[in-house]
Amino acid sequence: MTETDAAPVLDSLADGVLTLTLNRPAKLNALNYEMIGLLLGHLDRAETDPDIRAVLMRGAGRAFSGGDDLRSMGDPPWPLPPGSHRIREMQQRLIRKWYWLPKPTVVAMHGRAHGIAEDLVLSADFRIVADSAIFGDLRVRRAVPVGSGGTWLLPRMIGLSAATRIMMTGDTIDADGMDRLELAAERVSDDALEEAANRFARRMAAGPTRRIAMLKHQLRRAMTTSFETALDLEMEWLDIPLEDQEEGKLSFLEGREPRFTGR
């Protein structure tokens, strides 16, 4: 995947899918504060724009992203609250927004994903993984602290034992390892990655967007609540009227595929 546009984050919208491309290929798409600010702006738009029904994140060049730009993060693109920490206001804000976004999220991962990029990969709903993928948390190799959610995300995705080995040794895993750990929704060749990721994102964008958002919220809330609380949340949202729910019933009765509008 190569891009020539100078903007560090590119965006395009087609078929209900907002595609965000990390575009610093010469730096392995290392994230700085300018990029984080741009990503937050795009995700704010995605949250409220009814024409956006799924978000696909990808990387230009040889990798998804090497993580934070340890050489120079630059300055935040807006003033931060007095006494606040940059990590909380920027990196953690981005991970929270991406994790809870009420639209399906897909990452097209090729090459390396480390640090905050690893956490973006984990925070997505789906990962389309290319053969060249190299995944892992390298922060411990330089005694860099984790500040973007990795200590919470990785154990819940792959189990405490596997997560401990990756995070405390700085070891990496390849596409085969991601497949074995069930991190990949789909495993493809590098040449097929763009088409496969676009196809998967379009499939999600064609679904009942609001119902998917509710399911996403319920699934993620249930990871840290009791069974009884999860049942209560299901009851709370059980009778919320949705146009797509009526279309689902009607299409079943008429013996055809549903045509969801996302409402």
Side-chain angles (χ1 to χ4, degrees), residues 4 21 31 53 105 109 124 133 159 178 188 202-203 219 236:
T4 57
T21 302
L31 271 71
R53 297 173 61 184
T105 55
M109 185 189 159
M178 294 186 72
V188 297
R202 289 196 302 268
R203 171 187 171 190
L219 285 165
E236 182 181 336

Side-chain angles (χ1 to χ4, degrees), residues 2-185:
T2 59
E3 302 290 343
T4 57
D5 196 303
V9 176
L10 307 178
D11 67 291
S12 62
L13 178 60
D15 300 321
V17 177
L18 175 65
T19 299
L20 301 177
T21 302
L22 308 179
N23 190 41
R24 295 181 75 203
K27 299 289 187 180
L28 285 185
N29 299 319
L31 271 71
N32 57 23
Y33 285 135
E34 179 186 10
M35 293 176 72
I36 291 174
L38 291 170
L39 287 169
L40 282 167
H42 290 307
L43 296 180
D44 282 342
R45 170 193 168 199
E47 185 170 4
T48 58
D49 188 341
D51 292 331
I52 297 173
R53 297 173 61 184
V55 181
L56 169 63
M57 191 179 295
R58 59 191 285 270
R62 296 182 291 119
F64 175 68
S65 171
D68 279 328
D69 189 338
L70 298 181
R71 294 186 181 277
S72 177
M73 289 296 294
D75 294 318
W78 48 71
L80 302 184
S84 63
H85 199 292
R86 288 186 174 192
I87 298 293
R88 182 184 298 278
E89 297 297 330
M90 299 302 296
Q91 284 95 328
Q92 289 192 355
R93 183 178 169 190
L94 174 60
I95 291 293
R96 282 194 180 95
K97 175 67 74 172
W98 183 236
Y99 182 81
W100 289 109
L101 192 75
K103 306 286 175 71
T105 55
V106 182
V107 162
M109 185 189 159
H110 73 296
R112 293 186 173 273
H114 306 305
I116 190 174
E118 170 197 1
D119 299 333
L120 286 169
V121 169
L122 293 172
S123 299
D125 298 315
F126 305 101
R127 287 150 290 280
I128 312 302
V129 176
D131 290 338
S132 65
I134 303 173
F135 175 89
D137 200 311
L138 307 184
R139 285 172 280 206
V140 72
R141 294 186 185 182
R142 304 289 182 182
V144 174
V146 177
S148 50
T151 58
W152 189 92
L153 290 161
L154 194 58
R156 284 165 173 78
M157 297 291 285
I158 66 174
L160 179 60
S161 179
T164 298
R165 176 172 178 174
I166 288 173
M167 297 200 77
M168 292 179 64
T169 65
D171 288 346
T172 60
I173 58 175
D174 57 14
D176 288 336
M178 294 186 72
D179 228 355
R180 285 195 301 271
L181 292 169
E182 299 184 351
L183 286 171

